[in-house]
PDB file of all heavy atoms in Angstrom:
ATOM      1  N   TYR A  25     120.986  81.595 107.652  1.00 96.00           N
ATOM      2  CA  TYR A  25     122.448  81.605 107.660  1.00 96.00           C
ATOM      3  C   TYR A  25     122.985  82.990 107.997  1.00 96.00           C
ATOM      4  O   TYR A  25     123.898  83.132 108.818  1.00 96.00           O
ATOM      5  CB  TYR A  25     122.949  81.146 106.292  1.00 96.00           C
ATOM      6  CG  TYR A  25     124.449  81.114 106.130  1.00 96.00           C
ATOM      7  CD1 TYR A  25     125.173  79.961 106.378  1.00 96.00           C
ATOM      8  CD2 TYR A  25     125.146  82.246 105.697  1.00 96.00           C
ATOM      9  CE1 TYR A  25     126.559  79.927 106.212  1.00 96.00           C
ATOM     10  CE2 TYR A  25     126.515  82.225 105.529  1.00 96.00           C
ATOM     11  CZ  TYR A  25     127.215  81.059 105.785  1.00 96.00           C
ATOM     12  OH  TYR A  25     128.582  81.049 105.628  1.00 96.00           O
ATOM     13  N   LYS A  26     122.415  84.034 107.379  1.00 96.00           N
ATOM     14  CA  LYS A  26     122.877  85.402 107.630  1.00 96.00           C
ATOM     15  C   LYS A  26     122.634  85.806 109.087  1.00 96.00           C
ATOM     16  O   LYS A  26     123.513  86.415 109.719  1.00 96.00           O
ATOM     17  CB  LYS A  26     122.143  86.362 106.693  1.00 96.00           C
ATOM     18  CG  LYS A  26     122.485  87.840 106.889  1.00 96.00           C
ATOM     19  CD  LYS A  26     123.899  88.153 106.512  1.00 96.00           C
ATOM     20  CE  LYS A  26     124.075  88.104 105.007  1.00 96.00           C
ATOM     21  NZ  LYS A  26     123.283  89.093 104.261  1.00 96.00           N
ATOM     22  N   ILE A  27     121.486  85.454 109.632  1.00 95.00           N
ATOM     23  CA  ILE A  27     121.177  85.818 111.024  1.00 95.00           C
ATOM     24  C   ILE A  27     122.116  85.104 111.992  1.00 95.00           C
ATOM     25  O   ILE A  27     122.617  85.705 112.956  1.00 95.00           O
ATOM     26  CB  ILE A  27     119.710  85.494 111.336  1.00 95.00           C
ATOM     27  CG1 ILE A  27     118.784  86.417 110.529  1.00 95.00           C
ATOM     28  CG2 ILE A  27     119.420  85.631 112.828  1.00 95.00           C
ATOM     29  CD1 ILE A  27     117.319  86.107 110.681  1.00 95.00           C
ATOM     30  N   LEU A  28     122.385  83.839 111.743  1.00 95.00           N
ATOM     31  CA  LEU A  28     123.292  83.092 112.619  1.00 95.00           C
ATOM     32  C   LEU A  28     124.715  83.630 112.531  1.00 95.00           C
ATOM     33  O   LEU A  28     125.433  83.680 113.539  1.00 95.00           O
ATOM     34  CB  LEU A  28     123.261  81.613 112.244  1.00 95.00           C
ATOM     35  CG  LEU A  28     121.958  80.877 112.567  1.00 95.00           C
ATOM     36  CD1 LEU A  28     121.983  79.465 111.996  1.00 95.00           C
ATOM     37  CD2 LEU A  28     121.725  80.831 114.072  1.00 95.00           C
ATOM     38  N   LEU A  29     125.132  84.038 111.348  1.00 95.00           N
ATOM     39  CA  LEU A  29     126.467  84.611 111.192  1.00 95.00           C
ATOM     40  C   LEU A  29     126.587  85.925 111.970  1.00 95.00           C
ATOM     41  O   LEU A  29     127.596  86.171 112.648  1.00 95.00           O
ATOM     42  CB  LEU A  29     126.771  84.836 109.715  1.00 95.00           C
ATOM     43  CG  LEU A  29     128.127  85.444 109.382  1.00 95.00           C
ATOM     44  CD1 LEU A  29     129.258  84.563 109.903  1.00 95.00           C
ATOM     45  CD2 LEU A  29     128.274  85.650 107.878  1.00 95.00           C
ATOM     46  N   LEU A  30     125.558  86.765 111.890  1.00 95.00           N
ATOM     47  CA  LEU A  30     125.564  88.010 112.650  1.00 95.00           C
ATOM     48  C   LEU A  30     125.576  87.731 114.153  1.00 95.00           C
ATOM     49  O   LEU A  30     126.254  88.418 114.921  1.00 95.00           O
ATOM     50  CB  LEU A  30     124.331  88.848 112.290  1.00 95.00           C
ATOM     51  CG  LEU A  30     124.317  89.490 110.899  1.00 95.00           C
ATOM     52  CD1 LEU A  30     122.971  90.151 110.644  1.00 95.00           C
ATOM     53  CD2 LEU A  30     125.436  90.513 110.760  1.00 95.00           C
ATOM     54  N   THR A  31     124.842  86.708 114.570  1.00 94.00           N
ATOM     55  CA  THR A  31     124.799  86.360 115.994  1.00 94.00           C
ATOM     56  C   THR A  31     126.177  85.919 116.483  1.00 94.00           C
ATOM     57  O   THR A  31     126.616  86.305 117.576  1.00 94.00           O
ATOM     58  CB  THR A  31     123.778  85.238 116.224  1.00 94.00           C
ATOM     59  OG1 THR A  31     122.504  85.632 115.711  1.00 94.00           O
ATOM     60  CG2 THR A  31     123.635  84.938 117.708  1.00 94.00           C
ATOM     61  N   PHE A  32     126.865  85.112 115.679  1.00 94.00           N
ATOM     62  CA  PHE A  32     128.211  84.669 116.059  1.00 94.00           C
ATOM     63  C   PHE A  32     129.158  85.864 116.191  1.00 94.00           C
ATOM     64  O   PHE A  32     129.973  85.929 117.119  1.00 94.00           O
ATOM     65  CB  PHE A  32     128.737  83.685 115.012  1.00 94.00           C
ATOM     66  CG  PHE A  32     130.128  83.183 115.286  1.00 94.00           C
ATOM     67  CD1 PHE A  32     130.341  82.139 116.174  1.00 94.00           C
ATOM     68  CD2 PHE A  32     131.231  83.761 114.657  1.00 94.00           C
ATOM     69  CE1 PHE A  32     131.620  81.671 116.430  1.00 94.00           C
ATOM     70  CE2 PHE A  32     132.517  83.299 114.913  1.00 94.00           C
ATOM     71  CZ  PHE A  32     132.713  82.255 115.801  1.00 94.00           C
ATOM     72  N   LYS A  33     129.054  86.811 115.280  1.00 94.00           N
ATOM     73  CA  LYS A  33     129.921  87.992 115.347  1.00 94.00           C
ATOM     74  C   LYS A  33     129.604  88.834 116.581  1.00 94.00           C
ATOM     75  O   LYS A  33     130.500  89.434 117.181  1.00 94.00           O
ATOM     76  CB  LYS A  33     129.759  88.817 114.077  1.00 94.00           C
ATOM     77  CG  LYS A  33     130.338  88.144 112.835  1.00 94.00           C
ATOM     78  CD  LYS A  33     130.222  89.030 111.606  1.00 94.00           C
ATOM     79  CE  LYS A  33     130.882  88.375 110.397  1.00 94.00           C
ATOM     80  NZ  LYS A  33     130.817  89.227 109.181  1.00 94.00           N
ATOM     81  N   ILE A  34     128.334  88.890 116.958  1.00 93.00           N
ATOM     82  CA  ILE A  34     127.961  89.620 118.169  1.00 93.00           C
ATOM     83  C   ILE A  34     128.619  88.988 119.391  1.00 93.00           C
ATOM     84  O   ILE A  34     129.202  89.681 120.239  1.00 93.00           O
ATOM     85  CB  ILE A  34     126.425  89.634 118.330  1.00 93.00           C
ATOM     86  CG1 ILE A  34     125.791  90.543 117.276  1.00 93.00           C
ATOM     87  CG2 ILE A  34     126.029  90.087 119.732  1.00 93.00           C
ATOM     88  CD1 ILE A  34     124.281  90.479 117.260  1.00 93.00           C
ATOM     89  N   LEU A  35     128.532  87.671 119.494  1.00 92.00           N
ATOM     90  CA  LEU A  35     129.071  86.971 120.661  1.00 92.00           C
ATOM     91  C   LEU A  35     130.583  87.039 120.731  1.00 92.00           C
ATOM     92  O   LEU A  35     131.173  86.825 121.796  1.00 92.00           O
ATOM     93  CB  LEU A  35     128.608  85.516 120.648  1.00 92.00           C
ATOM     94  CG  LEU A  35     127.097  85.299 120.765  1.00 92.00           C
ATOM     95  CD1 LEU A  35     126.757  83.819 120.666  1.00 92.00           C
ATOM     96  CD2 LEU A  35     126.565  85.876 122.065  1.00 92.00           C
ATOM     97  N   ASN A  36     131.227  87.329 119.601  1.00 91.00           N
ATOM     98  CA  ASN A  36     132.684  87.393 119.573  1.00 91.00           C
ATOM     99  C   ASN A  36     133.205  88.815 119.417  1.00 91.00           C
ATOM    100  O   ASN A  36     134.376  89.019 119.066  1.00 91.00           O
ATOM    101  CB  ASN A  36     133.226  86.520 118.442  1.00 91.00           C
ATOM    102  CG  ASN A  36     133.068  85.037 118.719  1.00 91.00           C
ATOM    103  OD1 ASN A  36     133.933  84.407 119.323  1.00 91.00           O
ATOM    104  ND2 ASN A  36     131.949  84.466 118.299  1.00 91.00           N
ATOM    105  N   GLY A  37     132.350  89.794 119.678  1.00 90.00           N
ATOM    106  CA  GLY A  37     132.779  91.183 119.668  1.00 90.00           C
ATOM    107  C   GLY A  37     133.132  91.732 118.315  1.00 90.00           C
ATOM    108  O   GLY A  37     133.923  92.672 118.212  1.00 90.00           O
ATOM    109  N   GLU A  38     132.551  91.177 117.248  1.00 89.00           N
ATOM    110  CA  GLU A  38     132.857  91.635 115.897  1.00 89.00           C
ATOM    111  C   GLU A  38     131.698  92.390 115.266  1.00 89.00           C
ATOM    112  O   GLU A  38     131.730  92.686 114.070  1.00 89.00           O
ATOM    113  CB  GLU A  38     133.214  90.427 115.009  1.00 89.00           C
ATOM    114  CG  GLU A  38     134.411  89.640 115.510  1.00 89.00           C
ATOM    115  CD  GLU A  38     134.664  88.399 114.675  1.00 89.00           C
ATOM    116  OE1 GLU A  38     133.978  88.240 113.640  1.00 89.00           O
ATOM    117  OE2 GLU A  38     135.540  87.597 115.034  1.00 89.00           O
ATOM    118  N   ALA A  39     130.673  92.721 116.041  1.00 88.00           N
ATOM    119  CA  ALA A  39     129.491  93.395 115.510  1.00 88.00           C
ATOM    120  C   ALA A  39     129.335  94.760 116.172  1.00 88.00           C
ATOM    121  O   ALA A  39     129.829  94.984 117.288  1.00 88.00           O
ATOM    122  CB  ALA A  39     128.237  92.550 115.754  1.00 88.00           C
ATOM    123  N   PRO A  40     128.672  95.701 115.515  1.00 85.00           N
ATOM    124  CA  PRO A  40     128.464  97.029 116.109  1.00 85.00           C
ATOM    125  C   PRO A  40     127.570  96.956 117.344  1.00 85.00           C
ATOM    126  O   PRO A  40     126.825  95.993 117.553  1.00 85.00           O
ATOM    127  CB  PRO A  40     127.789  97.812 114.967  1.00 85.00           C
ATOM    128  CG  PRO A  40     127.221  96.784 114.062  1.00 85.00           C
ATOM    129  CD  PRO A  40     128.124  95.603 114.153  1.00 85.00           C
ATOM    130  N   ALA A  41     127.634  98.010 118.141  1.00 85.00           N
ATOM    131  CA  ALA A  41     126.924  98.015 119.424  1.00 85.00           C
ATOM    132  C   ALA A  41     125.416  97.937 119.258  1.00 85.00           C
ATOM    133  O   ALA A  41     124.734  97.321 120.082  1.00 85.00           O
ATOM    134  CB  ALA A  41     127.297  99.283 120.210  1.00 85.00           C
ATOM    135  N   TYR A  42     124.868  98.563 118.181  1.00 84.00           N
ATOM    136  CA  TYR A  42     123.417  98.568 118.043  1.00 84.00           C
ATOM    137  C   TYR A  42     122.860  97.168 117.790  1.00 84.00           C
ATOM    138  O   TYR A  42     121.672  96.930 118.021  1.00 84.00           O
ATOM    139  CB  TYR A  42     122.981  99.525 116.932  1.00 84.00           C
ATOM    140  CG  TYR A  42     123.422  99.158 115.535  1.00 84.00           C
ATOM    141  CD1 TYR A  42     122.681  98.280 114.760  1.00 84.00           C
ATOM    142  CD2 TYR A  42     124.571  99.708 114.984  1.00 84.00           C
ATOM    143  CE1 TYR A  42     123.081  97.944 113.479  1.00 84.00           C
ATOM    144  CE2 TYR A  42     124.979  99.390 113.705  1.00 84.00           C
ATOM    145  CZ  TYR A  42     124.229  98.505 112.958  1.00 84.00           C
ATOM    146  OH  TYR A  42     124.629  98.171 111.687  1.00 84.00           O
ATOM    147  N   LEU A  43     123.708  96.232 117.344  1.00 88.00           N
ATOM    148  CA  LEU A  43     123.291  94.837 117.233  1.00 88.00           C
ATOM    149  C   LEU A  43     123.594  94.067 118.513  1.00 88.00           C
ATOM    150  O   LEU A  43     122.797  93.232 118.951  1.00 88.00           O
ATOM    151  CB  LEU A  43     123.994  94.163 116.050  1.00 88.00           C
ATOM    152  CG  LEU A  43     123.461  94.471 114.654  1.00 88.00           C
ATOM    153  CD1 LEU A  43     124.285  93.732 113.606  1.00 88.00           C
ATOM    154  CD2 LEU A  43     122.001  94.085 114.520  1.00 88.00           C
ATOM    155  N   SER A  44     124.744  94.351 119.109  1.00 89.00           N
ATOM    156  CA  SER A  44     125.141  93.640 120.335  1.00 89.00           C
ATOM    157  C   SER A  44     124.161  93.872 121.473  1.00 89.00           C
ATOM    158  O   SER A  44     123.981  92.997 122.329  1.00 89.00           O
ATOM    159  CB  SER A  44     126.551  94.075 120.751  1.00 89.00           C
ATOM    160  OG  SER A  44     127.477  93.839 119.708  1.00 89.00           O
ATOM    161  N   ASN A  45     123.518  95.019 121.475  1.00 89.00           N
ATOM    162  CA  ASN A  45     122.570  95.327 122.553  1.00 89.00           C
ATOM    163  C   ASN A  45     121.241  94.597 122.412  1.00 89.00           C
ATOM    164  O   ASN A  45     120.403  94.665 123.313  1.00 89.00           O
ATOM    165  CB  ASN A  45     122.305  96.837 122.595  1.00 89.00           C
ATOM    166  CG  ASN A  45     123.551  97.631 122.948  1.00 89.00           C
ATOM    167  OD1 ASN A  45     124.444  97.110 123.629  1.00 89.00           O
ATOM    168  ND2 ASN A  45     123.624  98.870 122.504  1.00 89.00           N
ATOM    169  N   LEU A  46     121.051  93.894 121.297  1.00 90.00           N
ATOM    170  CA  LEU A  46     119.764  93.251 121.054  1.00 90.00           C
ATOM    171  C   LEU A  46     119.683  91.830 121.603  1.00 90.00           C
ATOM    172  O   LEU A  46     118.591  91.272 121.703  1.00 90.00           O
ATOM    173  CB  LEU A  46     119.471  93.226 119.546  1.00 90.00           C
ATOM    174  CG  LEU A  46     119.306  94.584 118.863  1.00 90.00           C
ATOM    175  CD1 LEU A  46     119.065  94.396 117.369  1.00 90.00           C
ATOM    176  CD2 LEU A  46     118.156  95.362 119.473  1.00 90.00           C
ATOM    177  N   VAL A  47     120.816  91.231 121.920  1.00 90.00           N
ATOM    178  CA  VAL A  47     120.820  89.859 122.436  1.00 90.00           C
ATOM    179  C   VAL A  47     121.645  89.806 123.717  1.00 90.00           C
ATOM    180  O   VAL A  47     122.496  90.655 123.960  1.00 90.00           O
ATOM    181  CB  VAL A  47     121.392  88.868 121.402  1.00 90.00           C
ATOM    182  CG1 VAL A  47     120.530  88.842 120.153  1.00 90.00           C
ATOM    183  CG2 VAL A  47     122.826  89.219 121.039  1.00 90.00           C
ATOM    184  N   SER A  48     121.377  88.796 124.517  1.00 89.00           N
ATOM    185  CA  SER A  48     122.123  88.611 125.763  1.00 89.00           C
ATOM    186  C   SER A  48     122.305  87.127 126.019  1.00 89.00           C
ATOM    187  O   SER A  48     121.462  86.301 125.629  1.00 89.00           O
ATOM    188  CB  SER A  48     121.389  89.266 126.948  1.00 89.00           C
ATOM    189  OG  SER A  48     120.094  88.702 127.105  1.00 89.00           O
ATOM    190  N   ARG A  49     123.396  86.778 126.657  1.00 88.00           N
ATOM    191  CA  ARG A  49     123.681  85.370 126.955  1.00 88.00           C
ATOM    192  C   ARG A  49     122.724  84.839 128.016  1.00 88.00           C
ATOM    193  O   ARG A  49     122.280  85.567 128.914  1.00 88.00           O
ATOM    194  CB  ARG A  49     125.122  85.203 127.416  1.00 88.00           C
ATOM    195  CG  ARG A  49     126.154  85.514 126.331  1.00 88.00           C
ATOM    196  CD  ARG A  49     127.550  85.228 126.825  1.00 88.00           C
ATOM    197  NE  ARG A  49     128.566  85.555 125.829  1.00 88.00           N
ATOM    198  CZ  ARG A  49     128.988  84.715 124.902  1.00 88.00           C
ATOM    199  NH1 ARG A  49     128.473  83.490 124.846  1.00 88.00           N
ATOM    200  NH2 ARG A  49     129.915  85.072 124.024  1.00 88.00           N
TER     201      ARG A  49
END
């Protein structure tokens, strides 16, 4: 649940860059 929540925030621009850089569409 925690990982999926962080992933959703990444895809919606609500997460810091060091997490956003770890996944790609």
Side-chain angles (χ1 to χ4, degrees):
Y25 179 93
K26 177 67 72 63
I27 293 175
L28 291 173
L29 179 59
L30 289 174
T31 305
F32 179 82
K33 290 183 177 181
I34 289 173
L35 297 177
N36 289 272
E38 300 175 7
Y42 65 85
L43 283 179
S44 303
N45 296 333
L46 296 178
V47 298
S48 59
R49 294 184 182 272

